[in-house]
């Protein structure tokens, strides 16, 4: 059965091939559809196969034409129109467009002029000096291709948020050290806290743009300068690309709003502005109600906002919308009605229920983990080492006898600790949704986190039934990393997040946002579906050593992408309420 990600990938390929064929407008429509298909909370193919094609009407950006292609793909495993595009342009489009400066249009031109279909073809043509002979190219472009071939071959995946954001923080720290920089902030997907990142986008406000660009390119951490000019520069730091754009201080807010995105949010916001006689762009918000020719320029009309991002929304009569919500999933309508959520913050977190010690696969003892949790200012903390079971390799899971021994050890540490310490376990949800713990063990524990570690290739209907069975088990307090996915490694289970959320709400079982940056499971749209269903959420780190308790940062922002408020998340509650929930 096709997954949402697989269907989305087909439409992303559609968009690239259409753009390579110089088709206008359609590529963006396919990209929008791809993004909304990818993040839809329920398995689309499952519902279509069951005859519920109404699901396609729920997906923004999916009209009749695209809907028919989804049905065709689900039913046949292919799309005739896509096959025709592939025959017309037999290009490894994803590989070739990883080359810096080579987009779909360029790839199409190189195919038509030189017959380039693969990275190997492109390398051969560049080494033979043929690329620079193509109109619109030249020796510099040809050399750029040669310089970037290795990078394109080795970097085929987006970078994890947990890897990219620390680099972004370093970039900001460097820019803040430059006297000419008045303000700076990250933009793009990294500011929206997407789980994977393409490039690190940074914006700086300054009256000395060329000086700031020059200093940025000369930064000690830069390994290679990709390009630079008076208003922007791109460099490579390690395997990451960092793009800097400089703007005058009076346009920082509008540029920040524009370059943060997402594209869908910005388009929806611009349309909202048009309906109110306003025009939004990277230079500001303009009142164009009295302007006859709005196409006369970017700065046409009376400029009413732009210095701050808050002002851009205020100009439309809206409150500021947090970056995590800017996905065009109803945030503008909620802002208009005054119904934006009061999103959870890192400061709201009072504990962590899922972490590991050297009793299973952690790297340190119980005392060190509890001490680290206390140092973070937590009120309570739970140890949840692995129980033995399917998917736990290397004999790292604890038997029932070992679990009971660890409970005693945890009680001893807890008696001397400054915070409440819960004795827990991470049980394994088998293929049928059951856990293999004895009643004696269940009675001895304070908290049971149950997670999937095996049979991750189940179809969506089976996976949903499996997870629902787990949350219906009164012994289970928290369903850990529900899909079992590992970002950039495996997709994990696909399931109906709304159905799971309803079951969790009915049975009082929390659904975990696993903060490990390789997981971030649940993800934004799934959290939103669960919250709307009334399910309690638990944000946990799955820490294996004291330092990884800091993973909480990633989990909180992921929950924010799902519209979660503090009251939705059990580890913002006080100790008395937590004890009541667990028992």
């Amino acid at each position: 059965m096709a997954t949402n990600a697989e269907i989305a990938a087909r439409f992303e390929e559609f968009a690239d091939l259409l753009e390579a064929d110089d088709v206008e407008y359609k590529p963006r429509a396919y990209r929008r559809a791809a993004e909304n298909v990818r993040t839809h909370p329920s398995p689309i193919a499952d519902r279509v196969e069951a005859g519920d094609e109404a699901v396609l009407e729920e997906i923004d950006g999916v009209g009749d034409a695209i809907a028919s292609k989804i049905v065709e793909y689900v039913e046949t495993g292919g799309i005739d129109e896509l096959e025709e595009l592939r025959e017309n342009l037999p290009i490894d489009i994803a590989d070739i467009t990883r080359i810096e400066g080579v987009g779909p249009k360029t790839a199409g031109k190189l195919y038509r002029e030189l017959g380039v279909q693969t990275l190997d073809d492109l390398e051969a043509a560049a080494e033979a000096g043929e690329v620079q002979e193509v109109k619109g190219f030249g020796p510099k472009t040809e050399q750029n291709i040669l310089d970037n071939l290795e990078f394109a071959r080795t970097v085929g995946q987006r970078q994890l948020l947990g890897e990219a954001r620390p680099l972004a923080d370093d970039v900001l720290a460097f820019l803040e050290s430059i006297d000419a920089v008045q303000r700076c902030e990250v933009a793009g997907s990294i500011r929206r806290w997407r789980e994977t990142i393409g490039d690190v986008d940074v914006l700086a406000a300054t009256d000395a743009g060329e000086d700031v660009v020059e200093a940025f390119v000369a930064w000690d951490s830069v390994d290679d300068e990709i390009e630079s000019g008076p208003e922007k520069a791109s460099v490579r730091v390690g395997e990451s690309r960092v793009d800097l754009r400089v703007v005058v201080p009076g346009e920082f807010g509008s540029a920040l709003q524009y370059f943060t995105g997402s594209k869908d949010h910005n388009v929806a916001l611009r349309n909202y502005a048009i309906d109110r006689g306003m025009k939004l762009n990277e230079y500001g918000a303009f009142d164009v109600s009295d302007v006859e020719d709005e196409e006369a320029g970017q700065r046409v009309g009376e400029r009413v906002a732009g210095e701050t991002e808050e002002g851009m929304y205020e100009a439309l009569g809206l409150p500021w919308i947090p970056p995590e919500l800017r996905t065009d999933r109803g945030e503008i309508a909620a802002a208009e009605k005054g119904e934006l959520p009061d999103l959870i913050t890192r400061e709201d977190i009072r504990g962590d229920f899922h972490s590991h010690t050297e009793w299973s696969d952690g790297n340190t003892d119980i005392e060190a983990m509890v001490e680290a949790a206390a140092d973070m200012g937590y009120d309570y903390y739970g140890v949840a080492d692995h129980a033995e079971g399917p998917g736990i390799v290397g004999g790292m899971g604890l038997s029932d006898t070992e679990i009971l021994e660890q409970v005693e050890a945890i009680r001893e540490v807890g008696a001397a600790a400054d915070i409440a310490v819960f004795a827990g376990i991470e049980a394994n949800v088998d293929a049928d949704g059951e856990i293999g713990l004895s009643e004696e063990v269940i009675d001895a524990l304070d908290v049971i986190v149950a997670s999937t570690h095996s049979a991750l290739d189940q179809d969506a209907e089976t996976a949903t039934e499996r997870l629902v069975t787990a949350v219906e088990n009164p012994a289970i307090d928290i369903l850990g990393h529900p899909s079992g996915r590992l970002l950039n490694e495996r997709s994990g289970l696909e399931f109906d997040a709304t159905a799971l959320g309803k079951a969790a709400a009915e049975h009082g079982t929390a659904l975990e946002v696993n903060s490990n940056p390789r997981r971030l499971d649940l993800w934004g749209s799934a959290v939103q579906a669960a919250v709307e269903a009334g399910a309690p959420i638990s944000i946990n780190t799955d820490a294996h050593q004291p330092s990884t308790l800091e993973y909480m940062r990633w989990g909180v922002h992921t929950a924010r992408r799902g519209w979660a408020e503090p009251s939705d998340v059990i580890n913002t509650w006080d100790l008395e309420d937590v004890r009541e929930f667990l028992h």
Side-chain angles (χ1 to χ4, degrees), residues 231-302:
E231 298 179 347
K232 59 184 179 180
S234 298
V235 300
R236 196 164 287 136
V237 179
E239 294 187 348
S240 300
R241 173 175 171 141
V242 182
D243 294 329
L244 169 69
R245 183 177 293 264
V246 295
V247 298
V248 295
E251 295 177 352
F252 181 78
S254 52
L256 183 60
Q257 193 285 320
Y258 179 86
F259 289 111
T260 293
S262 68
K263 288 183 179 178
D264 290 340
H265 172 81
N266 283 356
V267 168
L269 192 67
R270 287 199 296 270
N271 289 337
Y272 185 89
I274 289 169
D275 291 341
R276 287 152 183 80
M278 301 286 292
K279 180 175 183 176
L280 300 186
N281 55 42
E282 62 190 278
Y283 306 108
F286 300 87
D287 184 342
V288 293
S289 56
D290 295 327
V291 176
E292 294 184 5
D293 182 9
E294 295 181 20
E295 303 300 322
Q298 293 291 330
R299 294 180 172 89
V300 132
E302 179 188 357

Side-chain angles (χ1 to χ4, degrees), residues 118-411:
T118 67
L119 284 175
D120 289 342
D121 293 341
L122 184 56
E123 182 176 32
E127 288 182 339
E130 296 173 350
V131 171
Q132 62 179 287
E133 300 299 325
V134 177
K135 185 178 180 181
F137 293 73
K140 185 176 180 180
T141 302
E142 188 173 78
Q143 188 59 47
N144 176 71
I145 289 171
L146 291 170
D147 291 343
N148 285 279
L149 276 165
E150 182 178 353
F151 184 78
R153 286 191 171 110
T154 58
V155 181
Q157 298 172 322
R158 289 168 63 88
Q159 191 175 11
L160 299 183
L161 172 66
E163 298 169 349
R165 181 69 205 212
L167 169 59
D169 292 340
D170 290 342
V171 175
L172 290 178
F174 171 73
L175 291 172
E176 288 168 353
S177 72
I178 301 174
D179 291 340
V181 173
Q182 297 183 24
R183 296 177 64 191
C184 58
E185 182 57 274
V186 293
S189 57
I190 201 166
R191 187 167 180 241
R192 302 195 310 274
W193 298 85
R194 280 193 62 177
E195 59 262 43
T196 59
I197 304 302
D199 304 326
V200 176
D201 298 309
V202 189
L203 193 69
T206 178
D207 289 316
E210 292 190 38
D211 293 341
V212 171
V213 167
E214 184 178 343
F216 172 68
V217 171
W219 182 31
D220 290 344
S221 296
V222 170
D223 295 310
D224 184 33
E225 177 186 338
I226 298 171
E227 61 179 346
S228 64
E231 298 179 347
K232 59 184 179 180
S234 298
V235 300
R236 196 164 287 136
V237 179
E239 294 187 348
S240 300
R241 173 175 171 141
V242 182
D243 294 329
L244 169 69
R245 183 177 293 264
V246 295
V247 298
V248 295
E251 295 177 352
F252 181 78
S254 52
L256 183 60
Q257 193 285 320
Y258 179 86
F259 289 111
T260 293
S262 68
K263 288 183 179 178
D264 290 340
H265 172 81
N266 283 356
V267 168
L269 192 67
R270 287 199 296 270
N271 289 337
Y272 185 89
I274 289 169
D275 291 341
R276 287 152 183 80
M278 301 286 292
K279 180 175 183 176
L280 300 186
N281 55 42
E282 62 190 278
Y283 306 108
F286 300 87
D287 184 342
V288 293
S289 56
D290 295 327
V291 176
E292 294 184 5
D293 182 9
E294 295 181 20
E295 303 300 322
Q298 293 291 330
R299 294 180 172 89
V300 132
E302 179 188 357
R303 187 172 185 270
V304 296
E307 186 172 353
T308 68
E309 190 178 53
E310 291 81 358
M312 294 291 289
Y313 289 94
E314 289 172 3
L316 301 177
L318 298 175
W320 178 77
I321 298 176
E324 295 96 329
L325 300 186
R326 300 180 197 175
T327 57
D328 195 23
R329 291 205 308 262
E331 68 276 9
I332 296 174
E336 184 180 25
K337 296 175 184 176
E339 296 176 355
L340 284 175
D342 181 15
L343 296 178
I344 186 172
T345 68
R346 177 66 184 80
E347 290 70 29
D348 293 318
I349 298 296
R350 304 177 71 170
D352 189 340
F353 299 108
H354 180 182
S355 65
H356 298 267
T357 74
E358 60 190 7
W359 279 71
S360 64
D361 61 344
N363 297 329
T364 191
D365 57 30
I366 299 169
E367 291 89 343
M369 294 300 290
V370 171
E371 182 179 352
D375 288 343
M376 295 184 74
Y378 287 162
D379 297 333
Y380 44 84
Y381 175 72
V383 175
D385 274 308
H386 286 288
E388 62 185 5
I392 303 303
V393 298
M396 301 302 291
L398 305 181
S399 66
D400 281 5
T401 299
E402 290 169 325
I403 293 170
L404 293 173
E405 291 175 358
Q406 191 192 38
V407 169
E408 292 184 9
I410 293 171
R411 300 280 184 236

Side-chain angles (χ1 to χ4, degrees), residues 540-556:
N540 300 311
T541 59
D542 201 352
H544 284 60
Q545 59 191 36
S547 63
T548 51
L549 288 171
E550 297 292 345
Y551 282 169
M552 187 61 72
R553 179 190 194 190
W554 318 123
V556 166

Side-chain angles (χ1 to χ4, degrees), residues 476-489:
I476 295 174
D477 300 295
I478 301 168
L479 182 68
H481 52 73
S483 80
R485 75 177 185 178
L486 290 174
L487 293 166
N488 287 351
E489 296 177 45

